[in-house]
């Protein structure tokens, strides 16, 4: 029976190698991490679901024995990834305190159900990583499978590890923070941990993502650390030494949830009033703009002219983007807003022309 409680500490810091590779590497990394004093739980992958066959797929059961040894030596609870009922059984036998479901497993309802059935009746703590794709339904489905077999909500948590992205991005798995905010409003009390390592894919951006997670009031972090990162058998580019892990964690500013300071409250209220006022002007303008689109639809209809007038649209885009610098607004942001407005404008004209 695990004594460990997910909500025992905020922020909860989980660290350890991507993979347990050898006994020496596992124990060296874990004892050094424990000595930093900033790590609450040790992690390692012993079964590695890899995108392509032939990559290092984990050492299996012997890795569990090394992690159990790390737990004995350091006194810290341990976490491993499980992807099947058999993994759950072995992990619990070796005294693993925290099981996590990897992103490639969360996408599969059959696998998630198998794992949920295997933990039924145990007191395991489980963290569910977001699925590879930004699908809140799939992620909640996994959570609900565990709730349904009777896992207490206090023993369940979520890990945000970013989403697979088609195309080039400086991050390996862009975080899409807003998707996770949606998940958090479904399960407001549930522990939410950020995994900067798999979001970034390289060490340079870890600090920045970790700070964003702290600013968004995440409950903790899971960050990969390896005694010799460049020699790691998996995810080498994103792992950091235990010393650097300590520096990174100590550099994070975990801000207050709130403060009663009257000056702060007054300033915030003033700004919020201003935002509310501007929002109402903004949407009033949008409403007026759409009414004009309706009239344009009517004249096009009466003259039997097509809705889309290509050169007109590109001249709008050019004019607005030309003002980006002066407005101090990001060009991509302006483009997104313009496109959204354009789609709605076309829908409105379409309606007028065909009614
Ligand atoms: C991991 O934590 O090492 C891992 C494989 O992560 P993910 O499932 O997020 O890819
Ligand atoms: Mn990894």
């Amino acid at each position: 029976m695990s004594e460990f409680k997910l909500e025992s500490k905020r922020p909860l810091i989980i660290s350890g190698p991507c993979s347990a590779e050898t006994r020496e590497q596992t124990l060296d990394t874990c004892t050094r991490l424990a000595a930093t004093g900033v790590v609450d739980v040790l992690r390692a992958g012993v079964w590695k679901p890899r995108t392509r066959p032939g990559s290092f797929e984990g050492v299996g059961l012997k890795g569990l024995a090394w992690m159990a040894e790390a737990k004995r030596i350091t006194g810290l609870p341990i976490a491993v990834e499980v992807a099947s009922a058999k993994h759950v059984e072995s992990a619990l036998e070796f005294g693993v305190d925290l099981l996590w479901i990897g992103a490639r497993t969360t996408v599969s309802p059959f696998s998630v159900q198998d794992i949920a059935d295997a933990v039924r009746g145990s007191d395991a703590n489980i963290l569910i990583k977001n699925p590879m794709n930004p699908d809140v339904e799939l992620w909640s489905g996994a959570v609900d499978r565990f709730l349904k077999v009777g896992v207490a909500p206090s023993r369940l948590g979520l890990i945000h590890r970013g989403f697979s992205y088609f195309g080039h991005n400086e991050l390996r798995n862009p975080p899409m923070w807003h998707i996770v905010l949606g998940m958090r409003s479904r399960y407001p009390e549930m522990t939410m941990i950020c995994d900067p390592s798999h979001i970034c894919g390289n060490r340079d951006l870890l600090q920045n993502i970790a700070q964003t997670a702290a600013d968004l009031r995440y409950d903790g972090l899971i960050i990969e650390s390896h005694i010799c990162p460049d020699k790691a058998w998996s995810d080498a580019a994103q792992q950091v030494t235990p010393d650097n892990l300590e520096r990174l964690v100590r550099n994070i500013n975990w801000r207050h949830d709130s403060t009663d300071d009257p000056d702060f409250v007054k300033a915030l209220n003033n700004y919020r009033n201003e935002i509310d006022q501007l929002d109402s002007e903004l949407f009033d303008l949008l409403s007026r703009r759409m009414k004009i689109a309706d009239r344009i639809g009517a004249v096009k209809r009466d003259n039997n002219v097509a809705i889309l007038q290509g050169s007109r649209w590109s001249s709008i885009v050019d004019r607005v983007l030309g003002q980006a610098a002066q407005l101090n607004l990001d060009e991509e942001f302006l483009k997104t807003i313009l496109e959204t407005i354009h789609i709605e404008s076309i829908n409105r004209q379409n309606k007028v022309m065909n009614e």
Side-chain angles (χ1 to χ4, degrees), residues 18 43 48 81 100 102-104 129 161 198 224:
C18 175
R43 65 148 279 161
K48 303 299 296 178
E81 172 173 352
W100 86 81
R104 291 163 194 75
K129 285 200 170 197
R161 52 79 79 197
H198 293 88
E224 291 182 343

Side-chain angles (χ1 to χ4, degrees), residues 228-273:
C228 186
D230 289 333
K231 298 226 171 88
W233 298 358
S234 60
D235 289 353
Q238 71 197 29
Q239 303 204 60
V240 292
T241 61
D243 285 354
N244 284 335
L245 184 280
E246 177 179 2
R247 196 162 310 131
L248 190 160
V249 172
R250 292 198 190 279
N251 273 338
I252 300 170
N253 180 1
W254 295 89
R255 301 177 213 270
H256 318 286
D257 281 356
S258 184
T259 163
D260 294 336
D261 176 350
D263 288 342
F264 165 79
V265 173
K266 195 169 150 210
L268 191 65
N269 281 341
N270 284 344
Y271 288 134
R272 285 181 169 165
N273 286 338

Side-chain angles (χ1 to χ4, degrees), residues 85-98:
K86 187 86 193 66
H87 292 167
V88 172
E89 201 183 298
S90 309
L92 294 179
E93 247 167 57
F94 279 86
V96 173
D97 302 275
L98 187 52

Side-chain angles (χ1 to χ4, degrees), residues 283-299 341 344-349 352 355:
F283 288 103
D284 183 58
L285 282 174
L286 270 180
S287 159
R288 285 164 54 194
R289 194 189 189 285
M290 289 304 160
K291 279 182 198 140
I292 299 201
D294 292 344
R295 287 195 206 137
I296 291 184
V299 288
I341 293 177
E344 179 61 5
S345 188
I346 287 174
N347 288 342
R348 303 267 301 226
Q349 291 187 45
V352 172
E355 70 193 0

